[in-house]
PDB file of all heavy atoms in Angstrom:
ATOM      1  N   LEU A 450     104.077  79.070 120.437  1.00 92.00           N
ATOM      2  CA  LEU A 450     103.401  79.503 119.219  1.00 92.00           C
ATOM      3  C   LEU A 450     104.004  80.794 118.681  1.00 92.00           C
ATOM      4  O   LEU A 450     104.291  80.910 117.486  1.00 92.00           O
ATOM      5  CB  LEU A 450     101.901  79.672 119.471  1.00 92.00           C
ATOM      6  CG  LEU A 450     101.021  79.827 118.242  1.00 92.00           C
ATOM      7  CD1 LEU A 450     101.193  78.650 117.296  1.00 92.00           C
ATOM      8  CD2 LEU A 450      99.577  79.934 118.664  1.00 92.00           C
ATOM      9  N   VAL A 451     104.223  81.765 119.550  1.00 93.00           N
ATOM     10  CA  VAL A 451     104.842  83.020 119.119  1.00 93.00           C
ATOM     11  C   VAL A 451     106.290  82.757 118.678  1.00 93.00           C
ATOM     12  O   VAL A 451     106.745  83.311 117.672  1.00 93.00           O
ATOM     13  CB  VAL A 451     104.775  84.073 120.245  1.00 93.00           C
ATOM     14  CG1 VAL A 451     105.618  85.283 119.913  1.00 93.00           C
ATOM     15  CG2 VAL A 451     103.325  84.491 120.478  1.00 93.00           C
ATOM     16  N   GLY A 452     106.975  81.898 119.398  1.00 94.00           N
ATOM     17  CA  GLY A 452     108.356  81.558 119.047  1.00 94.00           C
ATOM     18  C   GLY A 452     108.480  80.908 117.681  1.00 94.00           C
ATOM     19  O   GLY A 452     109.497  81.056 117.003  1.00 94.00           O
ATOM     20  N   SER A 453     107.437  80.218 117.247  1.00 93.00           N
ATOM     21  CA  SER A 453     107.493  79.572 115.933  1.00 93.00           C
ATOM     22  C   SER A 453     107.537  80.594 114.799  1.00 93.00           C
ATOM     23  O   SER A 453     108.022  80.297 113.712  1.00 93.00           O
ATOM     24  CB  SER A 453     106.301  78.625 115.751  1.00 93.00           C
ATOM     25  OG  SER A 453     105.099  79.354 115.611  1.00 93.00           O
ATOM     26  N   TRP A 454     107.047  81.800 115.045  1.00 92.00           N
ATOM     27  CA  TRP A 454     107.088  82.858 114.039  1.00 92.00           C
ATOM     28  C   TRP A 454     108.436  83.565 113.985  1.00 92.00           C
ATOM     29  O   TRP A 454     108.759  84.207 112.992  1.00 92.00           O
ATOM     30  CB  TRP A 454     106.011  83.921 114.328  1.00 92.00           C
ATOM     31  CG  TRP A 454     104.697  83.649 113.680  1.00 92.00           C
ATOM     32  CD1 TRP A 454     103.596  83.110 114.265  1.00 92.00           C
ATOM     33  CD2 TRP A 454     104.330  83.905 112.326  1.00 92.00           C
ATOM     34  NE1 TRP A 454     102.576  83.034 113.370  1.00 92.00           N
ATOM     35  CE2 TRP A 454     102.998  83.513 112.166  1.00 92.00           C
ATOM     36  CE3 TRP A 454     104.999  84.444 111.234  1.00 92.00           C
ATOM     37  CZ2 TRP A 454     102.325  83.625 110.958  1.00 92.00           C
ATOM     38  CZ3 TRP A 454     104.327  84.557 110.028  1.00 92.00           C
ATOM     39  CH2 TRP A 454     103.012  84.145 109.912  1.00 92.00           C
ATOM     40  N   VAL A 455     109.225  83.493 115.041  1.00 95.00           N
ATOM     41  CA  VAL A 455     110.471  84.263 115.127  1.00 95.00           C
ATOM     42  C   VAL A 455     111.442  83.953 113.987  1.00 95.00           C
ATOM     43  O   VAL A 455     111.924  84.880 113.326  1.00 95.00           O
ATOM     44  CB  VAL A 455     111.131  84.098 116.510  1.00 95.00           C
ATOM     45  CG1 VAL A 455     112.531  84.704 116.544  1.00 95.00           C
ATOM     46  CG2 VAL A 455     110.251  84.726 117.586  1.00 95.00           C
ATOM     47  N   PRO A 456     111.750  82.677 113.677  1.00 95.00           N
ATOM     48  CA  PRO A 456     112.695  82.428 112.580  1.00 95.00           C
ATOM     49  C   PRO A 456     112.197  82.977 111.233  1.00 95.00           C
ATOM     50  O   PRO A 456     112.984  83.536 110.466  1.00 95.00           O
ATOM     51  CB  PRO A 456     112.805  80.898 112.532  1.00 95.00           C
ATOM     52  CG  PRO A 456     112.376  80.437 113.888  1.00 95.00           C
ATOM     53  CD  PRO A 456     111.363  81.441 114.355  1.00 95.00           C
ATOM     54  N   GLN A 457     110.897  82.834 110.970  1.00 94.00           N
ATOM     55  CA  GLN A 457     110.351  83.346 109.711  1.00 94.00           C
ATOM     56  C   GLN A 457     110.437  84.869 109.650  1.00 94.00           C
ATOM     57  O   GLN A 457     110.802  85.445 108.628  1.00 94.00           O
ATOM     58  CB  GLN A 457     108.894  82.903 109.536  1.00 94.00           C
ATOM     59  CG  GLN A 457     108.255  83.412 108.257  1.00 94.00           C
ATOM     60  CD  GLN A 457     108.974  82.914 107.016  1.00 94.00           C
ATOM     61  OE1 GLN A 457     109.175  81.732 106.852  1.00 94.00           O
ATOM     62  NE2 GLN A 457     109.390  83.834 106.148  1.00 94.00           N
ATOM     63  N   THR A 458     110.109  85.525 110.747  1.00 95.00           N
ATOM     64  CA  THR A 458     110.149  86.987 110.775  1.00 95.00           C
ATOM     65  C   THR A 458     111.574  87.500 110.623  1.00 95.00           C
ATOM     66  O   THR A 458     111.813  88.458 109.880  1.00 95.00           O
ATOM     67  CB  THR A 458     109.519  87.512 112.085  1.00 95.00           C
ATOM     68  OG1 THR A 458     108.181  86.992 112.187  1.00 95.00           O
ATOM     69  CG2 THR A 458     109.465  89.017 112.119  1.00 95.00           C
ATOM     70  N   ILE A 459     112.523  86.859 111.275  1.00 96.00           N
ATOM     71  CA  ILE A 459     113.933  87.258 111.140  1.00 96.00           C
ATOM     72  C   ILE A 459     114.399  87.064 109.700  1.00 96.00           C
ATOM     73  O   ILE A 459     115.039  87.953 109.125  1.00 96.00           O
ATOM     74  CB  ILE A 459     114.829  86.474 112.128  1.00 96.00           C
ATOM     75  CG1 ILE A 459     114.539  86.926 113.556  1.00 96.00           C
ATOM     76  CG2 ILE A 459     116.306  86.645 111.790  1.00 96.00           C
ATOM     77  CD1 ILE A 459     115.191  86.074 114.626  1.00 96.00           C
ATOM     78  N   GLU A 460     114.064  85.915 109.100  1.00 96.00           N
ATOM     79  CA  GLU A 460     114.451  85.663 107.714  1.00 96.00           C
ATOM     80  C   GLU A 460     113.817  86.686 106.771  1.00 96.00           C
ATOM     81  O   GLU A 460     114.461  87.200 105.858  1.00 96.00           O
ATOM     82  CB  GLU A 460     114.030  84.258 107.288  1.00 96.00           C
ATOM     83  CG  GLU A 460     114.393  83.929 105.845  1.00 96.00           C
ATOM     84  CD  GLU A 460     113.910  82.561 105.414  1.00 96.00           C
ATOM     85  OE1 GLU A 460     113.841  81.650 106.259  1.00 96.00           O
ATOM     86  OE2 GLU A 460     113.593  82.411 104.230  1.00 96.00           O
ATOM     87  N   THR A 461     112.557  87.004 106.997  1.00 96.00           N
ATOM     88  CA  THR A 461     111.857  87.984 106.169  1.00 96.00           C
ATOM     89  C   THR A 461     112.520  89.348 106.258  1.00 96.00           C
ATOM     90  O   THR A 461     112.724  90.016 105.242  1.00 96.00           O
ATOM     91  CB  THR A 461     110.373  88.079 106.588  1.00 96.00           C
ATOM     92  OG1 THR A 461     109.746  86.807 106.346  1.00 96.00           O
ATOM     93  CG2 THR A 461     109.640  89.151 105.834  1.00 96.00           C
ATOM     94  N   LEU A 462     112.862  89.777 107.471  1.00 96.00           N
ATOM     95  CA  LEU A 462     113.511  91.075 107.646  1.00 96.00           C
ATOM     96  C   LEU A 462     114.923  91.088 107.055  1.00 96.00           C
ATOM     97  O   LEU A 462     115.343  92.087 106.471  1.00 96.00           O
ATOM     98  CB  LEU A 462     113.559  91.449 109.125  1.00 96.00           C
ATOM     99  CG  LEU A 462     112.207  91.784 109.761  1.00 96.00           C
ATOM    100  CD1 LEU A 462     112.341  91.908 111.268  1.00 96.00           C
ATOM    101  CD2 LEU A 462     111.631  93.052 109.150  1.00 96.00           C
ATOM    102  N   ARG A 463     115.629  89.995 107.195  1.00 97.00           N
ATOM    103  CA  ARG A 463     117.010  89.923 106.707  1.00 97.00           C
ATOM    104  C   ARG A 463     117.057  89.932 105.178  1.00 97.00           C
ATOM    105  O   ARG A 463     117.869  90.633 104.581  1.00 97.00           O
ATOM    106  CB  ARG A 463     117.685  88.656 107.245  1.00 97.00           C
ATOM    107  CG  ARG A 463     119.163  88.573 106.905  1.00 97.00           C
ATOM    108  CD  ARG A 463     119.850  87.356 107.493  1.00 97.00           C
ATOM    109  NE  ARG A 463     119.741  87.373 108.946  1.00 97.00           N
ATOM    110  CZ  ARG A 463     119.446  86.306 109.677  1.00 97.00           C
ATOM    111  NH1 ARG A 463     119.219  85.150 109.109  1.00 97.00           N
ATOM    112  NH2 ARG A 463     119.372  86.392 110.988  1.00 97.00           N
ATOM    113  N   THR A 464     116.179  89.139 104.548  1.00 97.00           N
ATOM    114  CA  THR A 464     116.220  88.997 103.085  1.00 97.00           C
ATOM    115  C   THR A 464     115.303  89.978 102.359  1.00 97.00           C
ATOM    116  O   THR A 464     115.402  90.119 101.143  1.00 97.00           O
ATOM    117  CB  THR A 464     115.814  87.567 102.673  1.00 97.00           C
ATOM    118  OG1 THR A 464     114.455  87.340 103.054  1.00 97.00           O
ATOM    119  CG2 THR A 464     116.737  86.535 103.280  1.00 97.00           C
ATOM    120  N   LYS A 465     114.406  90.599 103.102  1.00 96.00           N
ATOM    121  CA  LYS A 465     113.385  91.492 102.532  1.00 96.00           C
ATOM    122  C   LYS A 465     112.508  90.746 101.517  1.00 96.00           C
ATOM    123  O   LYS A 465     111.998  91.317 100.564  1.00 96.00           O
ATOM    124  CB  LYS A 465     114.016  92.722 101.893  1.00 96.00           C
ATOM    125  CG  LYS A 465     114.839  93.541 102.865  1.00 96.00           C
ATOM    126  CD  LYS A 465     114.548  94.986 102.754  1.00 96.00           C
ATOM    127  CE  LYS A 465     115.349  95.879 103.653  1.00 96.00           C
ATOM    128  NZ  LYS A 465     115.631  95.493 104.963  1.00 96.00           N
ATOM    129  N   LYS A 466     112.349  89.443 101.755  1.00 96.00           N
ATOM    130  CA  LYS A 466     111.471  88.612 100.938  1.00 96.00           C
ATOM    131  C   LYS A 466     110.657  87.724 101.877  1.00 96.00           C
ATOM    132  O   LYS A 466     111.177  87.180 102.844  1.00 96.00           O
ATOM    133  CB  LYS A 466     112.279  87.723  99.992  1.00 96.00           C
ATOM    134  CG  LYS A 466     112.996  88.492  98.923  1.00 96.00           C
ATOM    135  CD  LYS A 466     113.759  87.572  98.011  1.00 96.00           C
ATOM    136  CE  LYS A 466     114.503  88.415  96.992  1.00 96.00           C
ATOM    137  NZ  LYS A 466     115.574  87.712  96.367  1.00 96.00           N
ATOM    138  N   CYS A 467     109.376  87.609 101.565  1.00 95.00           N
ATOM    139  CA  CYS A 467     108.504  86.764 102.373  1.00 95.00           C
ATOM    140  C   CYS A 467     107.952  85.647 101.493  1.00 95.00           C
ATOM    141  O   CYS A 467     107.132  85.906 100.599  1.00 95.00           O
ATOM    142  CB  CYS A 467     107.362  87.591 102.977  1.00 95.00           C
ATOM    143  SG  CYS A 467     106.306  86.604 104.055  1.00 95.00           S
ATOM    144  N   PRO A 468     108.387  84.403 101.739  1.00 94.00           N
ATOM    145  CA  PRO A 468     107.951  83.297 100.898  1.00 94.00           C
ATOM    146  C   PRO A 468     106.531  82.806 101.198  1.00 94.00           C
ATOM    147  O   PRO A 468     106.016  81.945 100.497  1.00 94.00           O
ATOM    148  CB  PRO A 468     108.982  82.207 101.190  1.00 94.00           C
ATOM    149  CG  PRO A 468     109.378  82.466 102.607  1.00 94.00           C
ATOM    150  CD  PRO A 468     109.343  83.972 102.743  1.00 94.00           C
ATOM    151  N   LEU A 469     105.914  83.351 102.230  1.00 94.00           N
ATOM    152  CA  LEU A 469     104.579  82.885 102.611  1.00 94.00           C
ATOM    153  C   LEU A 469     103.531  83.356 101.609  1.00 94.00           C
ATOM    154  O   LEU A 469     103.640  84.428 101.017  1.00 94.00           O
ATOM    155  CB  LEU A 469     104.223  83.398 104.005  1.00 94.00           C
ATOM    156  CG  LEU A 469     105.150  82.958 105.137  1.00 94.00           C
ATOM    157  CD1 LEU A 469     104.784  83.668 106.426  1.00 94.00           C
ATOM    158  CD2 LEU A 469     105.094  81.457 105.327  1.00 94.00           C
ATOM    159  N   ASN A 470     102.501  82.555 101.454  1.00 96.00           N
ATOM    160  CA  ASN A 470     101.383  82.873 100.575  1.00 96.00           C
ATOM    161  C   ASN A 470     100.632  84.097 101.094  1.00 96.00           C
ATOM    162  O   ASN A 470     100.322  84.177 102.283  1.00 96.00           O
ATOM    163  CB  ASN A 470     100.461  81.647 100.503  1.00 96.00           C
ATOM    164  CG  ASN A 470      99.289  81.855  99.595  1.00 96.00           C
ATOM    165  OD1 ASN A 470      98.357  82.583  99.931  1.00 96.00           O
ATOM    166  ND2 ASN A 470      99.343  81.209  98.456  1.00 96.00           N
ATOM    167  N   MET A 471     100.343  85.050 100.206  1.00 96.00           N
ATOM    168  CA  MET A 471      99.672  86.288 100.594  1.00 96.00           C
ATOM    169  C   MET A 471      98.321  86.032 101.259  1.00 96.00           C
ATOM    170  O   MET A 471      97.987  86.684 102.247  1.00 96.00           O
ATOM    171  CB  MET A 471      99.493  87.193  99.368  1.00 96.00           C
ATOM    172  CG  MET A 471      98.763  88.474  99.684  1.00 96.00           C
ATOM    173  SD  MET A 471      99.620  89.525 100.861  1.00 96.00           S
ATOM    174  CE  MET A 471     100.590  90.479  99.755  1.00 96.00           C
ATOM    175  N   LYS A 472      97.550  85.100 100.742  1.00 97.00           N
ATOM    176  CA  LYS A 472      96.243  84.798 101.342  1.00 97.00           C
ATOM    177  C   LYS A 472      96.407  84.299 102.777  1.00 97.00           C
ATOM    178  O   LYS A 472      95.657  84.686 103.655  1.00 97.00           O
ATOM    179  CB  LYS A 472      95.487  83.766 100.507  1.00 97.00           C
ATOM    180  CG  LYS A 472      95.010  84.312  99.186  1.00 97.00           C
ATOM    181  CD  LYS A 472      94.314  83.238  98.384  1.00 97.00           C
ATOM    182  CE  LYS A 472      93.981  83.759  96.998  1.00 97.00           C
ATOM    183  NZ  LYS A 472      93.442  82.722  96.140  1.00 97.00           N
ATOM    184  N   PHE A 473      97.410  83.449 102.994  1.00 96.00           N
ATOM    185  CA  PHE A 473      97.676  82.948 104.341  1.00 96.00           C
ATOM    186  C   PHE A 473      98.013  84.094 105.290  1.00 96.00           C
ATOM    187  O   PHE A 473      97.482  84.176 106.405  1.00 96.00           O
ATOM    188  CB  PHE A 473      98.833  81.935 104.317  1.00 96.00           C
ATOM    189  CG  PHE A 473      99.342  81.575 105.691  1.00 96.00           C
ATOM    190  CD1 PHE A 473      98.644  80.697 106.493  1.00 96.00           C
ATOM    191  CD2 PHE A 473     100.503  82.143 106.187  1.00 96.00           C
ATOM    192  CE1 PHE A 473      99.095  80.385 107.769  1.00 96.00           C
ATOM    193  CE2 PHE A 473     100.970  81.841 107.456  1.00 96.00           C
ATOM    194  CZ  PHE A 473     100.258  80.950 108.241  1.00 96.00           C
ATOM    195  N   ILE A 474      98.903  84.987 104.850  1.00 96.00           N
ATOM    196  CA  ILE A 474      99.314  86.104 105.699  1.00 96.00           C
ATOM    197  C   ILE A 474      98.126  86.990 106.036  1.00 96.00           C
ATOM    198  O   ILE A 474      97.934  87.379 107.190  1.00 96.00           O
ATOM    199  CB  ILE A 474     100.421  86.944 105.034  1.00 96.00           C
ATOM    200  CG1 ILE A 474     101.670  86.110 104.781  1.00 96.00           C
ATOM    201  CG2 ILE A 474     100.787  88.136 105.902  1.00 96.00           C
ATOM    202  CD1 ILE A 474     102.706  86.805 103.917  1.00 96.00           C
ATOM    203  N   LEU A 475      97.307  87.314 105.051  1.00 97.00           N
ATOM    204  CA  LEU A 475      96.145  88.181 105.284  1.00 97.00           C
ATOM    205  C   LEU A 475      95.148  87.546 106.248  1.00 97.00           C
ATOM    206  O   LEU A 475      94.654  88.206 107.167  1.00 97.00           O
ATOM    207  CB  LEU A 475      95.453  88.520 103.964  1.00 97.00           C
ATOM    208  CG  LEU A 475      96.175  89.532 103.080  1.00 97.00           C
ATOM    209  CD1 LEU A 475      95.508  89.606 101.713  1.00 97.00           C
ATOM    210  CD2 LEU A 475      96.197  90.895 103.747  1.00 97.00           C
ATOM    211  N   ILE A 476      94.865  86.275 106.040  1.00 97.00           N
ATOM    212  CA  ILE A 476      93.921  85.578 106.918  1.00 97.00           C
ATOM    213  C   ILE A 476      94.484  85.478 108.332  1.00 97.00           C
ATOM    214  O   ILE A 476      93.795  85.741 109.317  1.00 97.00           O
ATOM    215  CB  ILE A 476      93.563  84.191 106.363  1.00 97.00           C
ATOM    216  CG1 ILE A 476      92.740  84.344 105.078  1.00 97.00           C
ATOM    217  CG2 ILE A 476      92.804  83.357 107.395  1.00 97.00           C
ATOM    218  CD1 ILE A 476      92.577  83.052 104.292  1.00 97.00           C
ATOM    219  N   TYR A 477      95.753  85.112 108.446  1.00 95.00           N
ATOM    220  CA  TYR A 477      96.374  84.953 109.766  1.00 95.00           C
ATOM    221  C   TYR A 477      96.426  86.285 110.510  1.00 95.00           C
ATOM    222  O   TYR A 477      96.098  86.358 111.701  1.00 95.00           O
ATOM    223  CB  TYR A 477      97.784  84.370 109.617  1.00 95.00           C
ATOM    224  CG  TYR A 477      98.334  83.809 110.896  1.00 95.00           C
ATOM    225  CD1 TYR A 477      98.235  82.458 111.172  1.00 95.00           C
ATOM    226  CD2 TYR A 477      98.943  84.627 111.841  1.00 95.00           C
ATOM    227  CE1 TYR A 477      98.721  81.938 112.358  1.00 95.00           C
ATOM    228  CE2 TYR A 477      99.428  84.120 113.025  1.00 95.00           C
ATOM    229  CZ  TYR A 477      99.314  82.775 113.282  1.00 95.00           C
ATOM    230  OH  TYR A 477      99.796  82.276 114.450  1.00 95.00           O
ATOM    231  N   PHE A 478      96.830  87.339 109.812  1.00 97.00           N
ATOM    232  CA  PHE A 478      96.911  88.662 110.421  1.00 97.00           C
ATOM    233  C   PHE A 478      95.533  89.128 110.889  1.00 97.00           C
ATOM    234  O   PHE A 478      95.367  89.598 112.015  1.00 97.00           O
ATOM    235  CB  PHE A 478      97.513  89.667 109.424  1.00 97.00           C
ATOM    236  CG  PHE A 478      97.532  91.077 109.954  1.00 97.00           C
ATOM    237  CD1 PHE A 478      98.450  91.455 110.906  1.00 97.00           C
ATOM    238  CD2 PHE A 478      96.622  92.012 109.492  1.00 97.00           C
ATOM    239  CE1 PHE A 478      98.473  92.749 111.404  1.00 97.00           C
ATOM    240  CE2 PHE A 478      96.629  93.310 109.969  1.00 97.00           C
ATOM    241  CZ  PHE A 478      97.561  93.680 110.938  1.00 97.00           C
TER     242      PHE A 478
END
Side-chain angles (χ1 to χ4, degrees):
L450 193 57
V451 170
S453 70
W454 270 100
V455 171
Q457 179 61 53
T458 304
I459 291 171
E460 179 183 329
T461 297
L462 290 170
R463 186 177 300 137
T464 64
K465 301 226 182 320
K466 292 181 182 161
C467 183
L469 300 173
N470 181 286
M471 178 62 90
K472 290 178 186 174
F473 169 78
I474 299 170
L475 286 171
I476 292 168
Y477 197 96
F478 176 75

